[in-house]
Amino acid sequence: MTGTKLISGAEWWRTAVIYQIYPRSFADANGDGMGDLAGISSRLPQLKDLGIDAIWLSPFYTSPQRDAGYDVSDYCDVDPLFGTLDDFEVLQRTAHDLGIRVIVDIVPNHSSSDHGWFQAALAAGPGSEERARYTFRDGKGKVGELPPNNWESVFGGPAWTRTTDPDGTPGQWYLHLFDTSQPDFDWDSEWVREQFRAVLRFWLDRGVDGFRVDVAHGMIKAPGLPDYTPPAEGGSMGGAPATLEPGISAESPVTAPYWAQDGVHEIYRDWHKVLAEYPGDRVLAAEAWVDPLSKMAKWVRPDEMHQAFNFAYLETPWNAAKLKSVIDESIEAFGNVGAPSTWVLSNHDVVRHASRLALTGENLQGHGIGPKTVGLPNTAVGLRRARAASALMLSLPGSSYLYQGEELGLPEAVDLPDYAREDPTWFRTNGERYGRDGCRVPIPWEAASASFGFSTGAQSWLPQPIAWAGLARDQQNGVAGSTLELYKLALSLRREHSLASGTVEWLESLGSDVMAYRNGDVTIVANTGAASVQLPAGDVLLASEDLVGRTLPGDATAWLRAVTA
Ligand code: NOJ
């Protein structure tokens, strides 16, 4: 690792802005319509210019791509679709030379069914050591024709698939909390634990700055694998439904026997020690859909992981009272264990916030949106709220995650043709749920180029909406008032005023739709209502919409230089 240009100071991740790159959709250097590592390397200077501290790369490992790379068949190699290990070395070196840290994804709950370990388990048969590495069980019923329990896959349909023995007769069943092609490991196996320590070391030895841990609340299952029916309104990954007030699900009756089991913590204590063997403050970030936040904070106790995605914040509607409450709850819950809060509004699994914040139908959190969704968002309202919400998020103390394209104000692509869809959710629910393709469409770089400059070829693996020409980076770069310039300004002021290491001091109410708070020498005012509000004293540093005099319009956020009495 070059080190010298990277943001200095111990525990850099406490204040970092981490930009998620979805390799399939960021930049394509070889013209096949699918993003790749060389494409990412070529665009890193633009991310430097944006002002981020680190990138997190979604999986680029060898994979049959049944779940867009979250189905890994070799944890220590690069899929030819994305390049080679040498391309990764170049990417990492380029990033480090620019002062950008590199976090990679690790997928420990399940592998691909193509993985040699799973293929060996199938071949070795019931009772073998190889089968004990995954979650195989005999079926119920007279001849094992029924699944071992009633669990459902997050992507829809049953969570069990029956195997076929070499002689063609039906055999045992295996568990997959996600797609059939993603068999769950059995983390009671010391062999599995040892393999993953080796995977961590493989990437740490190559100089990565940390790992985003996929399904970090799912690896341990309750003994006996008891039947469980999730509440109808619950999030399928275990989080609270979007309609709940933050914190209310503290009363949640039962924890699913496959989410948030106590045994996972031992695994992260072990991983913490592995990372601690390496210099340079390497980081573990949990994707753990655990509710309430006080429980999620267990994932980031001092000897476990370093960060956890704050999905409670992501799921909070654009509403001043609810946002204020989740901000307080987050700072308290994470602060109680000595961890920074994180903040996030979009990622590759949820409806982009430039659309989500303006949905008017019932499907507020949902399972993706598409042409038939009731209450599709108004694009202008969505963009306005997204800009205001991002300006609020980037003013908060702690670490923030950005998802590629949000700095351009990209909305969800809602008009994707059915034939183009790839998300297993779409297939496993027979089109009942649109799934996540709409937030994964390749991003636009240049309005006048084929595929808007995403690819050196003409195509992109998912079609890009025509209207995205107007949102392309080259249309926004250097243009005052553009979303891209708003993000750049926010990131530079955030650094200049040390907002990420500051505190939240709420100011006297400016109305029930308005949040006003002080962070160091900056006052932040966010107006989630429709009516304009008069700004308090102080020079305006940033505004997500044009101000009329000192009036902040609805759905807008402003930062002011605080006036001290
Ligand atoms: C969470 C990932 O973010 C998502 O994209 C993936 O489908 C599931 N985990 C399964 O790995």
Side-chain angles (χ1 to χ4, degrees), residues 39-53:
I40 297 171
S41 298
S42 72
R43 297 290 193 182
L44 286 174
Q46 276 105 325
L47 294 187
K48 175 71 188 167
D49 188 43
L50 175 61
I52 53 128
D53 302 305

Side-chain angles (χ1 to χ4, degrees), residues 408-433:
L408 305 175
L410 293 188
E412 188 84 350
V414 290
D415 287 335
L416 289 175
D418 292 354
Y419 67 79
R421 293 190 183 277
E422 292 205 6
D423 187 346
T425 308
W426 168 257
F427 298 102
R428 290 182 65 88
T429 61
N430 293 319
E432 198 181 297
R433 300 186 198 160

Side-chain angles (χ1 to χ4, degrees), residues 20 22 56 58 67-68 70-71 105 107 109-110 154-155 178-179 182 212 214-215 237 287 289 347-349 423-424 436 440:
Q20 180 188 359
Y22 194 65
W56 145 38
S58 280
D67 183 24
Y70 282 95
D71 48 327
D105 224 300
V107 188
N109 179 68
H110 47 265
V154 170
F155 294 156
F178 296 89
D179 189 51
Q182 295 166 295
R212 173 267 189 192
D214 191 61
V215 200
M237 286 282 279
E287 187 225 15
W289 293 82
N347 66 32
H348 65 295
D349 289 330
D423 187 346
R436 304 157 295 174
R440 298 175 173 182

